[in-house]
Amino acid sequence: MDSRIPRIRSKLAKVPYQAQRSHSMGAERHAFRVGPRIGSAQADLFEGEHHVELPPAYRKFLVALGGSGAGPFYGLLPLEECRLFTMDRQPPDGTPRGFHHVNHPDASQGDLFLHVIEMGCSDLCLIGVTGPLTGRMLTGNADGFRPPNVSSARDFLAWYERWLDHMRDGKDNTALGLTSPATVASAPWGPRARALAHRAHRRNPSTVSAG
């Protein structure tokens, strides 16, 4: 077993209870719990059906730690819900590149990326499965609203552990959906805003409090 797996498991069990950790966007959905692990046979079946090989570090996570749930943004998608995308060609006007599902008529021929983390709307968090970015994590937008961003983490486990470490250390990291405690406290949706809304409601009960 990769030595990082038990270390990540231990960190994941502790981070949610650390008072000064960062807020992780979307954590309300997965509540820092991972789903059941998948079997090697299930991973093999997926690879055979899609004619790809899952990057080793990502596959190790699914088989040894959990097949869905806890992760950056809204969490890890179950393997059966993961879809393959290709990156669009660079538009002539220099606007950001988008992504298309491989079966879409407008999909370009090129390297393949697997959608593995749910970000919501048309945002995508993917892992490269062919080409020079194989095993690397990147985020982008299917409609090209923002440019793709490739993580410097060398593989999925390094990227996932960085999320845990930065959350534990109370850091801001928009690339991982993290907001530091200080920023959360002063945010329009944070504790300070809720406290002000509560005081305003007590002074004037007809005031609708913030959700």
Side-chain angles (χ1 to χ4, degrees):
M1 178 186 290
D2 191 307
S3 62
R4 293 175 292 176
I5 293 292
R7 188 170 70 225
I8 287 172
R9 183 183 290 114
S10 176
K11 289 179 179 180
L12 183 58
K14 296 174 183 176
V15 163
Y17 304 103
Q18 293 178 317
Q20 294 304 308
R21 70 168 174 85
S22 299
H23 170 78
S24 185
M25 170 193 161
E28 296 80 6
R29 181 177 296 183
H30 56 72
F32 298 104
R33 292 191 294 268
V34 292
R37 295 173 292 175
I38 71 168
S40 294
Q42 184 180 345
D44 291 342
L45 181 62
F46 181 91
E47 291 178 333
E49 288 180 344
H50 296 279
H51 309 291
V52 296
E53 290 186 8
L54 297 173
Y58 172 63
R59 178 173 170 137
K60 288 175 184 176
F61 187 100
L62 299 180
V63 172
L65 210 155
S68 63
F73 305 105
Y74 293 105
L76 194 65
L77 288 165
L79 186 59
E80 62 271 17
E81 295 180 18
C82 295
R83 301 195 302 157
L84 287 166
F85 285 78
T86 60
M87 190 184 298
D88 298 343
R89 294 183 178 88
Q90 181 66 56
D93 61 2
T95 54
R97 303 168 85 176
F99 294 83
H100 278 87
H101 183 260
V102 291
N103 293 332
H104 192 281
D106 295 332
S108 62
Q109 298 297 312
D111 299 331
L112 299 176
F113 302 89
L114 188 65
H115 182 204
V116 296
I117 295 282
E118 180 59 52
M119 292 183 70
C121 299
S122 58
D123 287 335
L124 298 169
C125 183
L126 312 113
I127 188 168
V129 293
T130 66
L133 292 179
T134 296
R136 298 284 296 278
M137 297 298 298
L138 67 155
T139 56
N141 182 271
D143 300 316
F145 291 143
R146 57 188 178 86
N149 177 49
V150 181
S151 172
S152 62
R154 68 184 184 275
D155 63 19
F156 180 83
L157 290 175
W159 177 82
Y160 192 96
E161 189 167 17
R162 178 182 293 175
W163 169 64
L164 292 171
D165 289 344
H166 285 199
M167 182 165 39
R168 174 199 63 200
D169 296 340
K171 292 183 177 181
D172 275 316
N173 189 328
T174 54
L176 292 171
L178 296 176
T179 309
S180 70
T183 304
V184 169
S186 59
W189 43 266
R192 183 171 180 273
R194 289 197 296 271
L196 290 172
H198 180 68
R199 286 199 292 270
H201 179 69
R202 290 184 64 183
R203 289 195 298 269
N204 182 4
S206 64
T207 302
V208 177
S209 61

